[in-house]
Amino acid sequence: MLGRACPELDCELIFEAREWRAAYLVIKRCPPPPVPPRLGEMVEWVAGLGGYLGRKHDGPPGPKAMWIGLQRLREFVIALEARDALAGTYV
């Protein structure tokens, strides 16, 4: 709900840096920038991971898409942490 009401906020108010960086890597397929994205953008990314298509006529993402997206995001964070542990670095 905060992402709808205040989409311009910094996403690090809600998400950890490793979460938004993992989402950026998976969705954009390039290294994340040093500045975190806006909260509204991060909510769209999480909803997209949960199956939300975001078409013009679609309403805002619902709880099911957000729940699935958050579960998938957590899996990506765990995978990246494991990768970085093997490489000796950290996201």
Side-chain angles (χ1 to χ4, degrees), residues 23-75:
Y24 194 95
L25 281 168
V26 170
I27 293 166
K28 302 286 187 178
R29 300 190 185 273
C30 62
V35 178
R38 297 170 299 133
L39 182 58
E41 190 174 14
M42 184 64 184
V43 167
E44 288 178 17
W45 293 349
V46 171
L49 293 174
Y52 178 71
L53 299 177
R55 299 171 295 202
K56 281 192 218 178
H57 65 280
D58 290 342
K64 184 175 179 181
M66 292 301 294
W67 178 255
I68 293 169
L70 287 169
Q71 289 176 330
R72 293 195 67 207
L73 178 61
R74 183 66 191 141
E75 292 165 358

